[in-house]
């Protein structure tokens, strides 16, 4: 049973464009929703995260939008840059998964110059 | 400065020959995790330690074992590597609070010949 569904699998964006990656979850007990960024040959690194008591969180060019009723959250990358090219994973934690992360399937983002 | 250090970065072993991967941390975090990540897939949690308490995932094969002799170090032992065990192995740490922010090492790429 997939607890987190992430889409799209891959995304190609032109420099300066907006990248949008979506995730949907099933368990309403989850209470923390991070996004991790992974470059080739590196481990994932926390990019930005949100709690369900807010609908949006922005850090620089990165924004998480959260829709609690729809059980969906998304990552928006504004003014996408070639250096943003990486694999992005959404994740969920909390409830019976306390102390563990459940990752989405990942999105390979390519930003063309 | 690297906070979660994995050694070696690349490991080649023979089919059936035991191998040990190591992880150390300078963060003094309570929790240490081992993940397996195959190409174009999300990290898959194998097990984790909360202090000295070992927590095995239900679907982790018996072939995989772990040791945590102290707060700073954690080892992954693969008793009889098969071709299907070739993957990137990631170590991560967290404080063990509700945010569960995990800090990943750069990983060890394991090849099985």
């Amino acid at each position: 049973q997939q607890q987190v569904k992430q889409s799209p699998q891959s995304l190609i964006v032109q420099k300066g464009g907006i990248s949008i990656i979506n995730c949907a979850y099933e368990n309403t007990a989850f209470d923390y929703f991070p996004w991790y960024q992974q470059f080739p040959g590196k481990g994932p690194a926390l990019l930005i995260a949100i709690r369900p008591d807010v609908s949006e969180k922005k850090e620089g060019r990165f924004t998480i939008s959260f829709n609690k009723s729809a059980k969906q959250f998304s990552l928006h990358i504004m003014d996408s840059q070639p250096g943003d090219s990486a694999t992005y994973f959404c994740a969920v934690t909390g409830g019976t998964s306390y102390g563990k992360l459940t990752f989405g399937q990942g999105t390979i983002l390519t930003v063309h110059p | 400065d690297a906070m979660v250090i994995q050694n070696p970065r690349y490991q080649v072993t023979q089919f059936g020959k035991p191998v040990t991967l190591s992880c150390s941390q300078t963060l003094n975090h309570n929790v240490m995790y081992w993940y397996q990540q195959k190409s174009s897939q999300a990290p898959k949690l194998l097990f984790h330690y909360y202090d000295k308490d070992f927590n095995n995932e239900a679907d982790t094969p018996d072939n995989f074992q772990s040791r945590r002799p102290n707060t700073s170090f954690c080892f992954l032992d693969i008793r009889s590597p098969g071709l299907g065990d070739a993957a990137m192995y990631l170590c991560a740490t967290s404080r063990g609070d509700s945010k569960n922010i995990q800090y990943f090492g750069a990983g060890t790429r394991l090849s099985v010949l």
Side-chain angles (χ1 to χ4, degrees):
Chain A
Q1 180 186 359
Q2 279 185 323
Q3 296 197 65
V4 187
K5 293 183 180 179
Q6 183 174 343
S7 62
Q9 271 190 311
S10 62
L11 181 61
I12 299 174
V13 175
Q14 291 296 123
K15 179 182 176 182
I18 302 173
S19 305
I20 302 174
I21 305 171
N22 301 297
C23 278
Y25 64 97
E26 297 178 0
N27 190 340
T28 56
F30 294 135
D31 60 7
Y32 196 64
F33 303 86
W35 285 90
Y36 281 78
Q37 179 188 54
Q38 185 176 25
F39 293 104
K42 304 287 187 182
L46 179 67
L47 184 63
I48 187 172
I50 197 168
R51 286 206 182 276
D53 53 348
V54 296
S55 59
E56 186 175 282
K57 183 174 182 180
K58 184 175 180 180
E59 291 183 358
R61 296 184 294 108
F62 301 91
T63 299
I64 298 179
S65 296
F66 188 84
N67 186 330
K68 189 174 182 179
S69 61
K71 294 187 285 186
Q72 295 176 347
F73 59 111
S74 60
L75 175 69
H76 297 237
I77 306 174
M78 312 300 288
D79 187 25
S80 299
Q81 299 296 312
D84 297 329
S85 297
T87 300
Y88 293 81
F89 294 98
C90 64
V92 296
T93 189
T96 54
S97 294
Y98 186 87
K100 299 194 292 187
L101 288 173
T102 300
F103 287 96
Q105 296 76 17
T107 297
I108 301 172
L109 173 65
T110 303
V111 182
H112 286 314
Chain B
D1 290 336
M3 297 177 288
V4 182
I5 303 163
Q6 292 189 241
N7 285 305
R9 291 295 315 278
Y10 302 92
Q11 176 74 56
V12 180
T13 191
Q14 291 180 333
F15 183 94
K17 185 175 181 181
V19 66
T20 294
L21 311 182
S22 72
C23 177
S24 64
Q25 56 138 338
T26 60
L27 298 165
N28 203 34
H29 282 171
N30 299 99
V31 192
M32 295 188 78
Y33 306 82
W34 278 106
Y35 290 87
Q36 179 192 66
Q37 186 177 31
K38 296 190 174 182
S39 182
S40 301
Q41 294 184 19
K44 179 181 181 299
L45 182 64
L46 296 173
F47 24 59
H48 71 281
Y49 276 93
Y50 195 114
D51 292 326
K52 293 185 178 181
D53 293 333
F54 178 70
N55 299 272
N56 197 32
E57 292 301 296
D59 57 355
T60 297
D62 293 339
N63 198 25
F64 292 86
Q65 304 285 319
S66 185
R67 297 170 283 135
R68 189 180 185 185
N70 54 53
T71 300
S72 301
F73 286 87
C74 197
F75 300 97
L76 170 63
D77 301 307
I78 308 177
R79 292 191 296 185
S80 182
L83 298 178
D85 297 328
M88 175 76 87
Y89 289 88
L90 295 163
C91 173
T93 73
S94 78
R95 280 200 292 260
D97 59 15
S98 62
K99 285 188 176 180
N100 192 26
I101 296 173
Q102 295 190 16
Y103 297 83
F104 285 81
T108 295
R109 171 73 64 187
L110 177 69
S111 299
V112 181
L113 303 180

